[in-house]
């Protein structure tokens, strides 16, 4: 049996990396008053159609949608923001607090052609700062992305690209002019772009086709259509990024795939990874919550693709896993009560152990402990069990001693002092 195309098992030797990312994120975000939120993986299809937009790749071709037994049209979430906005409205989170700083980590689903850094089930870590239209919120959010990336230690250099895509009205005027310009070159555009002229012309700006890019060189620029408020918002962000020494470039072709953004759009990219070089994408979305039936609440956020991030991580954490643990060899007897007392003591002292579950004799079990390169083996043979004692064998020096269970706590305290036994 094979897993579904585009899905992957995350195996025990990889899980430490995921746990590390969770830990780092949780630590950094907690300091900044971001609260974790977990929303359902399934939502009404309509949620994504209404938020992401009907003319986007996600809604057009990438959604995992199906009818459930009750004939409801359901979709496995392709991204996090729409669900967060929905949860904010459903639970009226905005009534408790004017600002909701939220973060999430979980699987997302998109029907795409699987490649390196592109899966059908992948994971996003994302944050949303909901309730402020101030540029300072955009800066906080962008800074947090770079803080997290720094702490996670990527081996590749990455760069922030940023743009302002203005507000709805500004974009509408721009769109008309862009369409007018592109229509003149309609026959020279790539097929995707040609199809987008009327439906989603802004997306043509980030076309990867050279010929289309060449045509775009002389196209009207979105920036020229922005009014004072939009421009000032953007300038404040850029000035503060410079102060924070966060390197960035302004990419005036950056429009992002989703419909709901306004003002700020940004991506963090690496030089490598071929096509899949965007690790983080985000922006401001002041109209989404209202569009979904909530009050008018501005917001800004981003999402990081964790599979892409992990490819870039510096240290291979699986090598760092401390392997040492106490091996417990036990004779197969009926009465083994003291075993549970021992295990409880180990748990109390946070000491990792592995209990032999084979039906092998003690010699074989000790051999196994040797193979695993553990330093210490606890032996519970017939005599030990009868006398409520335990034999502690040091496998490297081949010395051993038998102590009473009542003295085990003291022994472990002594062990912990000069032996780096792994705590879990
Ligand atoms: P791309 O242009 O690579 O398809 P996108 O614009 O569709 O990316 P977003 O919707 O902005 O991506 O999602 C944010 C991040 O989630 C991306 O920058 C990427 O790191 C990650 N991501 C998106 N789709 C996938 C996928 N299919 N597999 C793995 N990671 C993904
Ligand atoms: Mg995509």
């Amino acid at each position: 049996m094979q897993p579904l195309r585009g899905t992957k098992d995350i195996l025990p030797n990889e899980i430490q990396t995921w746990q590390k990312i969770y830990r780092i994120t949780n630590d950094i975000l907690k300091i900044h008053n971001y609260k974790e939120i977990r929303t359902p993986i399934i939502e009404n299809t309509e949620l994504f159609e209404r938020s992401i937009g009907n003319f986007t790749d996600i809604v057009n071709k990438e959604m995992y949608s199906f009818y459930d037994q009750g004939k409801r049209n359901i979709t496995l979430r392709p991204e996090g923001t729409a669900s967060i906005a929905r949860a904010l409205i459903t639970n009226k989170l905005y009534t408790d607090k004017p600002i909701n700083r939220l973060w999430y980590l979980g699987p997302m689903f998109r029907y795409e052609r699987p490649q390196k850094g592109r899966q059908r089930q992948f994971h996003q870590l994302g944050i949303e700062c909901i309730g402020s239209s101030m540029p300072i919120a955009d800066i906080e959010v962008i800074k947090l992305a770079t803080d997290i990336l720094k702490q996670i230690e990527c081996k590749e250099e990455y760069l922030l690209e940023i743009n302002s895509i203005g507000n709805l009205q500004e974009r509408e005027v721009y769109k008309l002019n862009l369409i007018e310009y592109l229509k003149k070159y309609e026959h020279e555009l790539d097929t995707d772009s040609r199809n987008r002229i009327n439906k989603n012309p802004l997306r043509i700006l980030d076309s990867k086709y050279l010929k289309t890019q060449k045509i775009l060189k002389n196209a009207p620029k979105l920036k020229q259509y922005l009014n004072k408020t939009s421009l000032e918002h953007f300038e404040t962000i850029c000035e503060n990024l410079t102060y924070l020494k966060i390197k960035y470039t302004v990419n005036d072709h950056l429009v992002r795939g989703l419909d709901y953004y306004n003002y700020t759009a940004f991506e963090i990219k690496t030089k490598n990874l071929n096509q899949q070089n965007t690790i983080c994408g985000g922006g401001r979305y002041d109209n989404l919550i209202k569009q979904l039936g909530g009050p008018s609440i501005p917001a800004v956020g981003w999402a990081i693709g964790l599979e892409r991030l992990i490819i870039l991580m510096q240290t291979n954490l699986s090598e760092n896993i401390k392997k040492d643990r106490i091996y417990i060899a036990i004779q197969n007897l009926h009465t083994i009560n003291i075993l549970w007392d021992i295990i409880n003591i180990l748990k109390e002292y946070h000491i990792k152990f592995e209990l032999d579950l084979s039906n092998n004799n003690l010699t074989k079990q000790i051999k196994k402990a040797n193979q695993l390169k553990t330093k210490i083996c606890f032996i519970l043979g017939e005599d030990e069990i009868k006398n409520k004692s335990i034999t502690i064998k040091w496998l490297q020096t081949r010395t051993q001693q038998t102590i009473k269970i009542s003295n085990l706590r003291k022994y472990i305290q002594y062990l912990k002092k000069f032996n780096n036994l792994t705590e879990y």
Side-chain angles (χ1 to χ4, degrees):
M1 287 279 272
Q2 293 296 315
L4 284 175
R5 194 164 134 77
T7 69
K8 266 194 187 145
D9 300 307
I10 300 171
L11 297 172
N13 66 354
E14 300 161 299
I15 213 76
Q16 289 238 340
T17 307
W18 291 83
Q19 287 167 341
K20 180 180 170 181
I21 292 173
Y22 184 91
R23 218 170 33 242
I24 288 175
T25 310
N26 193 23
D27 287 352
I28 293 179
L29 293 178
K30 222 195 268 167
I31 296 172
H32 293 81
N33 201 29
Y34 280 74
K35 305 265 157 60
E36 188 181 355
I37 180 166
R38 299 186 188 182
T39 62
I41 282 167
I42 50 173
E43 296 274 359
N44 280 316
T45 301
E46 198 198 345
L47 170 65
F48 304 112
E49 288 174 349
R50 275 174 58 183
S51 56
I52 298 172
N54 268 318
F55 300 119
T56 56
D57 282 351
I58 295 182
V59 170
N60 272 343
K61 342 184 245 210
E62 296 173 0
M63 291 217 295
Y64 273 93
S65 300
F66 61 95
Y67 287 97
D68 74 359
Q69 309 280 350
K71 307 266 183 302
R72 291 174 202 90
N73 195 353
I74 284 173
T75 295
L76 303 184
R77 62 178 184 196
E79 55 108 44
T81 305
S83 308
I84 306 283
R86 203 263 315 125
L88 182 99
I89 300 168
T90 317
N91 302 289
K92 293 203 170 63
L93 296 182
Y94 48 84
T95 52
D96 297 343
K97 289 197 249 160
I99 305 284
N100 276 278
R101 289 182 169 91
L102 302 168
W103 73 276
Y104 60 90
L105 189 161
M108 307 294 160
F109 304 82
R110 295 185 195 177
Y111 191 77
E112 301 195 72
R113 194 167 69 79
Q115 308 157 55
K116 191 174 182 199
R118 192 178 293 286
Q119 295 174 199
R120 290 183 173 171
Q121 176 174 339
F122 62 101
H123 294 76
Q124 278 183 347
L125 157 69
I127 73 172
E128 316 290 356
C129 178
I130 304 171
S132 170
S133 57
M134 301 279 286
I136 194 174
D138 308 44
I139 303 158
E140 173 179 292
V141 156
I142 296 172
K143 180 181 180 297
L144 281 170
T146 57
D147 282 353
I148 290 171
L149 292 178
K150 208 180 288 165
Q151 189 86 30
I152 280 172
E153 297 176 358
C154 291
K155 59 175 177 251
E156 296 286 338
E157 244 190 286
Y158 48 84
L159 191 67
L160 170 69
E161 290 187 1
I162 183 165
N163 192 21
S164 175
I165 57 169
N167 62 30
L168 230 79
Q169 293 78 15
E170 292 161 343
R171 250 187 348 252
E172 280 312 311
V173 181
Y174 173 66
K175 263 188 199 172
L176 292 176
N177 285 292
L178 182 64
I179 293 172
E180 194 184 300
Y181 172 83
L182 289 172
K183 281 251 159 103
K184 287 191 274 185
Y185 302 92
E186 196 162 353
H187 300 293
E188 294 169 58
L189 296 174
D190 58 280
T191 337
D192 267 353
S193 298
R194 215 175 304 144
N195 289 334
R196 282 178 173 148
I197 283 194
N198 291 312
K199 294 179 187 154
N200 199 351
L202 285 185
R203 281 305 309 276
I204 300 176
L205 293 179
D206 69 359
S207 166
K208 301 206 163 63
Y209 289 89
L210 280 178
K211 201 154 175 212
T212 304
Q213 276 176 15
K214 228 169 148 189
I215 294 169
L216 286 167
K217 277 220 171 93
N218 295 319
K221 297 274 174 285
L222 179 49
K223 204 163 180 202
Q224 290 153 359
Y225 294 74
L226 303 186
N227 65 30
K228 197 163 162 255
T229 320
S230 291
L231 286 172
E232 271 176 11
H233 189 97
F234 189 59
E235 275 157 22
T236 308
I237 295 172
C238 293
E239 268 169 31
N240 281 274
L241 290 177
T242 306
Y243 178 77
L244 288 166
K245 294 196 171 62
I246 297 173
K247 271 196 238 159
Y248 69 91
T249 52
V250 176
N251 171 359
D252 54 19
H253 283 177
L254 180 79
V255 287
R256 312 261 315 120
L258 318 180
D259 269 1
Y260 53 61
Y261 288 112
N262 65 293
Y263 287 178
T264 321
F266 60 90
E267 287 187 344
I268 298 175
K269 291 181 178 168
T270 57
K271 289 183 187 139
N272 257 330
L273 266 178
N274 304 324
Q275 288 286 303
Q276 278 64 253
N277 64 349
T278 309
I279 39 177
C280 175
R284 175 165 280 285
Y285 52 98
D286 293 341
N287 301 304
L288 176 66
I289 295 160
K290 184 155 184 232
Q291 197 176 307
L292 291 175
S296 177
I297 302 178
V300 53
W302 50 250
I304 291 178
L306 291 185
E307 279 78 4
R308 291 189 197 174
L309 181 64
I310 286 170
I311 299 174
L312 302 174
M313 279 172 74
Q314 204 135 43
T315 40
N316 183 353
L317 281 163
S318 54
E319 286 166 12
N320 294 348
I321 301 173
K322 286 191 202 159
K323 295 215 169 72
D324 206 13
R325 58 202 182 274
I326 287 176
Y327 201 80
I328 306 179
I330 180 158
Q331 198 148 4
N332 183 5
L333 292 174
H334 212 65
T335 321
I336 50 163
N337 296 352
I338 60 160
L339 170 67
W340 308 119
D341 301 335
I342 293 166
I343 285 177
N344 275 335
I345 293 172
L346 291 176
K347 199 182 81 193
E348 192 181 310
Y349 284 90
H350 286 225
I351 288 175
K352 212 158 123 182
F353 65 89
E354 181 177 341
L355 174 62
D356 191 302
L357 297 176
S358 72
N359 199 14
N360 293 332
N361 63 34
L362 283 178
T363 319
K364 265 200 176 156
Q365 291 185 40
I366 295 163
K367 212 168 148 195
K368 176 80 193 177
N370 259 315
Q371 279 167 4
L372 291 171
K373 298 200 166 51
T374 53
K375 289 199 192 93
I376 301 166
C377 183
F378 282 6
I379 302 165
L380 287 165
E382 203 172 343
D383 285 347
E384 283 89 353
I385 291 173
K386 202 164 67 203
N387 301 328
K388 288 199 187 314
S389 63
I390 179 168
T391 297
I392 295 151
K393 190 175 172 82
W394 291 77
L395 295 166
Q396 281 168 333
T397 53
R398 304 201 175 173
T399 50
Q400 66 179 55
Q401 61 204 114
T402 302
I403 61 163
K404 287 277 179 204
I405 297 289
S406 51
N407 287 329
L408 184 60
R409 273 199 180 78
K410 226 180 243 153
Y411 193 87
I412 285 179
Q413 280 163 14
Y414 148 82
L415 266 187
K416 280 187 80 165
K417 243 184 214 152
F418 73 100
N419 205 296
N420 70 336
L421 281 173
T422 315
E423 298 194 11
Y424 61 80

